[in-house]
Amino acid sequence: MVARRAHNPKVVGSNPTPATNILQALSRFLKQSDNFHYFLLSGRKPGYITFNKLQYGSNAIQKKGTCLVDNNFTLVLSGGGALGIAHLGVLHDLEKKSILPGEIVGTSMGGIIGACLAIGMREEEIYEQIKKFAGVFNWIKFSFSGNAMVDNDKLAEIFTAIFEERKMKDTSIPLKLIATNLHDGRKKVFDLYDDVYIKDAVLSTMAIPGVFEEHTVKGQTYGDGFLCENLGVTEAEFDTILAVDVLGKHSFGGAMPDNFFKTSNVLEMFEKSVRLLIYNQTRTHLSHLNKNIYLVEPETKAHKTFQFHKYEEIRALGLDLL
């Protein structure tokens, strides 16, 4: 685990701090501070919270007095296709600790899972629904017209079965789903003030342009929220945020693709580029926040965003990170 501040802290004293004592000075500063800008939980097991080269035990969060409190934080779940199944591991651990968020913000796959949690579904129930995505023909219907490869008819049936006629205001936990208005490029946040069915907001937040059919709600056409904010931390109402980013720093490696077939290299390079783009987008959003953020980044780099059939091992990536 890695802890760091969004802005460089200044150590105030009568004399300048010698360069050789900077780390010790910052360590004392952090131990006295109640307002970390964010914690970066690396997803390594066992985990550590580190600031530069300083390390504390995995219970350092509790020692700092900043542990999560039931109903007093915003849970933010990122997009990431099949990688988003790792969110379930985190939900499993929250459930074990009997902790529920006071608000949920989700984008794309994180929006689907977040919406399920918001209506009161347990992690085990959500997992059973996600398993259905392992058979691609259960939810994919190829389209031979329009702007996307996949028609959303089968997905709409699945979401109707789950959410029925509930609207965004009809949740047990306040819910925000992030989409992108494809007319003007602006971010759209569906929340309880929108007279919109949850299933429509979900179909909007997960509509990757060119892959899934764009979704129209009240005359406006929407696409996937990752185009604006893949990790919706800026929409959190609470000062404490638990953010799970499956497209974070552990979603890509340093090596370049090196397959026998060039086609494989090109596809891998394209996916890596998208992950890097999203990673940098998220870092920009985080750097402008002044909130306590627990940032969990599961180790997802060995998996592809389309590998829904690997649901069991991807879910395990999110376990034991809290």
Side-chain angles (χ1 to χ4, degrees), residues 59-304:
N59 61 346
I61 292 177
Q62 286 75 15
K63 286 182 178 178
K64 296 295 179 185
T66 54
C67 55
L68 295 173
V69 178
D70 192 33
N71 299 125
N72 199 33
F73 67 95
T74 298
L75 175 65
V76 180
L77 303 177
S78 77
L83 305 182
I85 298 172
H87 292 316
L88 294 176
V90 177
L91 296 192
H92 170 83
D93 290 347
L94 285 174
E95 206 170 283
K96 256 190 356 182
K97 299 173 187 289
S98 299
I99 295 175
L100 279 175
E103 175 190 51
I104 299 169
V105 180
T107 301
S108 200
M109 190 63 177
I112 296 171
I113 291 174
C116 290
L117 180 64
I119 65 170
M121 292 176 68
R122 297 176 62 82
E123 187 270 334
E124 184 179 5
E125 296 175 297
I126 304 172
Y127 186 39
E128 289 303 314
Q129 291 294 332
I130 294 300
K131 284 181 182 178
K132 297 176 182 177
F133 287 81
V136 292
F137 292 106
N138 292 337
W139 56 280
I140 283 185
K141 176 184 175 184
F142 289 106
S143 174
F144 297 98
S145 61
N147 304 318
M149 294 186 294
V150 178
D151 188 295
N152 287 347
D153 287 353
K154 288 187 177 181
L155 284 167
E157 290 176 7
I158 292 172
F159 295 144
T160 298
I162 295 173
F163 302 112
E164 300 175 328
E165 298 303 305
R166 292 185 182 90
K167 294 192 173 182
M168 290 295 293
K169 62 182 176 62
D170 301 324
T171 58
S172 303
I173 301 171
L175 174 66
K176 294 177 180 175
L177 297 178
I178 297 176
T180 303
N181 188 311
L182 295 180
H183 297 290
D184 58 20
R186 294 177 181 273
K187 177 170 66 174
K188 169 61 181 175
V189 182
F190 292 100
D191 59 20
L192 61 85
Y193 300 106
D194 290 293
D195 187 27
V196 169
Y197 292 108
I198 296 175
K199 60 188 177 186
D200 284 321
V202 167
L203 285 167
S204 297
T205 189
M206 47 107 351
I208 302 173
V211 178
F212 296 106
E213 184 181 11
E214 63 272 16
H215 195 66
T216 301
V217 180
K218 296 185 175 180
Q220 295 295 307
T221 304
Y222 297 102
D224 200 302
F226 88 85
L227 296 170
C228 292
E229 191 170 4
N230 195 59
L231 186 69
V233 289
T234 66
E235 299 302 330
E237 293 291 334
F238 288 87
D239 288 332
T240 299
I241 302 170
L242 173 60
V244 187
D245 188 5
V246 300
L247 287 177
K249 68 178 293 185
H250 301 302
S251 69
F252 55 89
M256 296 298 105
D258 186 21
N259 301 293
F260 181 79
F261 292 106
K262 182 175 180 177
T263 305
S264 299
N265 289 334
V266 171
L267 291 174
E268 285 188 22
M269 199 65 185
F270 177 75
E271 179 158 350
K272 179 172 183 171
S273 299
V274 172
R275 293 189 190 197
L276 287 170
L277 185 152
I278 292 172
Y279 170 73
N280 284 294
Q281 174 205 78
T282 296
R283 286 303 170 276
T284 300
H285 290 141
L286 287 170
S287 69
H288 289 88
L289 284 181
N290 186 21
K291 294 191 175 187
N292 299 319
I293 305 177
Y294 297 80
L295 181 58
V296 179
E297 295 180 303
E299 190 95 25
T300 58
K301 64 174 173 278
H303 296 82
K304 307 297 184 186

